[in-house]
């Protein structure tokens, strides 16, 4: 019997497989339904997902995320990621959230230059290596996740409409914004 990791690698190398590897992500409402039915929320183990995503640890550099939104009144249920990008839920939307863009609207060039990007944790490399080693010991594959690296992060912060408009008219805000995000992405890689 091969480990889930070995089975996944054999599948990717077109060497055959014992079981078809699957990967899935459930929205919060489906996680809650799974937990109600099975008494736990570890659906990835239940469905024998052979891999786990690993990310370089980021540390937010802002004290109060709501202060990042001088042009918007945020709903009370707004949550924030390490970049300060907000999400709030709307009834009946399940996995869809309303995204709040801290640099949307008439953000100045100086505001874009000073926006507090997250930092890479000082122990990020060691934590990442430990996570990968632990997963391999469990017979699982580790998968790096760098989706939403430059373009997505840029418009999540600025808003799609404002970033596209900045680019169309050659506004320096787009150049500064994309350059800053690219620099951090290169460090993360």
């Amino acid at each position: 019997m091969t480990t889930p990791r070995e089975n996944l690698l054999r599948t990717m190398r077109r060497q055959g497989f014992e079981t078809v590897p699957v990967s899935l992500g459930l929205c919060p409402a489906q996680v809650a339904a799974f937990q109600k039915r099975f008494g736990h929320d570890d659906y990835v183990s239940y469905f024998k997902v052979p891999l786990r995503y690993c990310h370089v640890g980021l540390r937010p550099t802002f004290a109060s995320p709501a202060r990042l939104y001088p042009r918007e009144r945020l709903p009370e249920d707004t949550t924030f990621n390490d970049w300060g990008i907000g999400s709030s839920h709307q009834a009946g939307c399940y996995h869809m959230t309303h995204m709040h863009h801290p640099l949307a609207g008439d953000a100045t060039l100086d505001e874009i230059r000073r926006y507090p990007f997250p930092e890479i944790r000082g122990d990020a490399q060691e934590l990442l290596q430990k996570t990968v080693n632990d997963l391999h010991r469990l017979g699982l594959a580790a998968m790096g996740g760098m989706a939403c690296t430059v373009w997505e992060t840029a418009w999540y912060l600025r808003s799609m409409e404002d970033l596209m408009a900045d680019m169309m008219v050659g506004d320096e805000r787009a150049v500064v914004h994309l350059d800053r995000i690219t620099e951090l992405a290169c460090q993360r890689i």
Side-chain angles (χ1 to χ4, degrees), residues 3-77:
T3 68
R5 177 176 178 257
E6 292 165 341
N7 185 62
L8 176 64
L9 290 172
R10 287 185 53 76
T11 304
M12 293 171 68
R13 293 175 182 144
R14 298 178 184 212
Q15 297 171 336
F17 50 84
E18 291 178 10
T19 60
V20 176
V22 298
S23 180
L24 70 149
L26 300 181
C27 70
Q30 291 301 316
V31 172
F34 180 92
Q35 186 169 21
K36 182 177 179 182
R37 182 171 180 183
F38 296 102
H40 64 87
D41 63 1
D42 188 10
Y43 64 90
V44 292
S45 293
Y46 179 84
F47 288 111
K48 298 182 175 138
V49 175
L51 60 90
R52 301 296 185 274
Y53 286 93
C54 302
H55 304 278
V56 171
L58 294 176
R59 176 181 22 244
T61 60
F62 50 82
S64 172
R67 287 189 157 164
L68 300 174
Y69 293 82
R71 292 170 290 281
E72 183 178 358
R73 185 180 174 100
L74 299 170
E76 286 185 30
D77 72 338

Side-chain angles (χ1 to χ4, degrees), residues 106-125:
D106 61 354
T108 66
L109 180 59
D110 188 53
E111 190 178 352
I112 289 171
R113 279 191 177 116
R114 289 183 298 109
Y115 186 83
F117 281 7
E119 299 171 339
I120 297 174
R121 292 175 48 136
D123 59 352
Q125 185 66 40

